[in-house]
Amino acid sequence: MANDLGRNGYYQQKPIAELMGTMAEESVSPEFVVAVGDVHHFLGVRSIDDPLWLTNYEQIYSHPELMLPWFPILGNHEYRGNTQACMDYSYKSMRWQMPSRYYTKVFEVKGSTLRIVFIDTTPLISKYRLHKEFYPDAYQQDDRVQLNWLDSILDTAKEDWIIVMGHHPVYAETPKDEVERTDMQNSVGKILKKHNNVNMYINGHIHNFQHIKYQDCKTEFVTNSSASLSRKVKAIEGTVFCSSKAGFSIVSVNDKELILRMIDDKGEIIHEVKSTTKNTKK
């Protein structure tokens, strides 16, 4: 799992991409990769033929062991450009699999079932919707339809483990506008608390690693760091762990637990997030 990638290989993007490939070959054997938004800084892409597809993605994540399904979601930087092109690229690339702005996938892993719900967070945040000149596609999306969809998916989900992924955080330490968190807490956060069957909510956007936990909520809130350029972070209420290192995360599941391992730019595991409470809706 990686996010906040698109730097044309600069900063730490290229070496981290190579590390992802090496670990995939030597120790991990991943089944797929999730791209949690902002694959393309800074103005998104113009079309499926935009050269940024090569310099931000194809030529960077070129290791043979990364030639497997990639499940992307949109970040705020994609919303500066042509968001439809991000979905249409699925017709051009065999590994880029983005059927819509938000979608869900179910996987069977070692006798357990895992549901990942991929959501589109930029249209859920008022600061983006109000800036029509910069984020025209965000204004056009019906946030109520998406939230009703998320509510219905979690209401009927019967899988053992459930992860929701979106680009923006529900809870995180960040210098970014407070409205980003409050809008997410008042929408996605309320749905997570209502159903209380989501093991992890995972986001990008903040460019550092964070693990936040609240006693009244089953969900572990995880911020995955940038796979190119990281930023400083400090602990807040509920912080279990935080780090300003760049890197990516690896998620694994079995019959007993769901584990997310944070990997820094040296390939070291710097923190593990574990969930052992399986979904009781059957």
Side-chain angles (χ1 to χ4, degrees):
M1 177 177 55
N3 49 262
D4 301 278
L5 313 172
R7 302 280 177 170
N8 291 297
Y10 283 89
Y11 301 95
Q12 292 174 280
Q13 187 187 13
K14 183 62 174 176
I16 290 176
E18 292 173 350
L19 176 62
M20 289 171 62
T22 300
M23 291 187 67
E25 177 182 8
E26 297 179 354
S27 59
V28 178
S29 299
E31 296 187 19
F32 55 88
V33 179
V34 175
V36 196
D38 283 1
V39 175
H40 299 292
H41 286 77
F42 289 89
L43 300 177
V45 290
R46 293 171 295 177
S47 70
I48 61 172
D49 298 315
D50 195 309
L52 287 175
W53 286 109
L54 294 177
T55 58
N56 279 339
Y57 179 58
E58 299 288 0
Q59 294 175 350
I60 305 299
Y61 303 94
S62 57
H63 193 286
E65 295 300 321
L66 298 180
M67 297 298 159
L68 37 74
W70 283 59
F71 299 114
I73 53 178
L74 300 170
N76 51 291
H77 284 284
E78 275 83 17
Y79 266 95
R80 295 292 299 271
N82 183 347
T83 55
Q84 185 62 46
C86 295
M87 289 168 277
D88 291 346
Y89 195 70
S90 302
Y91 299 105
K92 186 172 183 178
S93 168
M94 291 186 64
R95 60 175 173 163
W96 187 268
Q97 299 186 20
M98 187 177 185
S100 58
R101 296 175 189 273
Y102 49 91
Y103 56 101
T104 185
K105 294 279 185 181
V106 175
F107 306 91
E108 294 188 13
V109 185
K110 298 180 180 179
S112 294
T113 53
L114 167 67
R115 178 180 290 275
I116 303 180
V117 186
F118 303 89
I119 64 173
D120 183 20
T121 57
T122 302
L124 303 179
I125 297 172
S126 57
K127 66 175 269 188
Y128 300 114
R129 296 179 65 85
L130 292 173
H131 285 78
K132 289 184 263 186
E133 68 276 25
F134 294 117
Y135 305 96
D137 290 353
Y139 175 77
Q140 296 175 19
Q141 306 311 309
D142 192 329
D143 56 335
R144 295 169 298 178
V145 171
Q146 181 182 181
L147 292 172
N148 288 337
W149 173 86
L150 175 62
D151 186 46
S152 66
I153 290 292
L154 297 182
D155 185 53
T156 58
K158 294 179 171 58
E159 290 71 30
D160 297 315
W161 311 101
I162 303 174
I163 298 174
V164 177
M165 293 188 180
H167 183 66
H168 292 85
V170 177
Y171 297 101
E173 188 281 323
T174 169
K176 295 179 181 290
D177 294 337
E178 181 66 23
V179 70
E180 294 186 7
R181 270 96 63 216
T182 55
D183 282 357
M184 286 292 291
Q185 289 162 18
N186 290 329
S187 56
V188 175
K190 287 184 177 180
I191 294 174
L192 298 180
K193 289 183 179 179
K194 171 185 174 181
H195 295 286
N196 203 34
N197 60 350
V198 174
N199 299 91
M200 295 183 189
Y201 176 82
I202 303 172
N203 62 269
H205 190 54
I206 312 299
H207 292 228
N208 48 51
F209 287 114
Q210 297 186 52
H211 173 200
I212 292 177
K213 178 66 176 177
Y214 292 104
Q215 295 300 319
D216 63 342
C217 185
K218 171 183 177 178
T219 305
E220 311 281 345
F221 293 93
V222 178
T223 296
N224 189 50
S225 189
S226 169
S228 59
L229 178 65
S230 62
R231 297 179 180 138
K232 295 179 180 180
V233 64
K234 60 185 178 182
I236 60 172
E237 180 184 359
T239 299
V240 179
F241 175 82
C242 61
S243 170
S244 60
K245 291 187 176 182
F248 55 96
S249 292
I250 298 171
V251 175
S252 61
V253 65
N254 57 44
D255 186 53
K256 298 185 182 301
E257 59 187 3
L258 170 67
I259 304 176
L260 179 144
R261 295 178 172 90
M262 297 178 178
I263 312 296
D264 70 7
D265 57 351
K266 305 300 181 184
E268 299 294 327
I269 300 173
I270 58 174
H271 182 63
E272 290 187 353
V273 183
K274 293 185 179 182
S275 180
T276 58
T277 306
K278 297 170 76 171
N279 182 21
T280 58
K281 290 184 179 180
K282 296 293 183 182

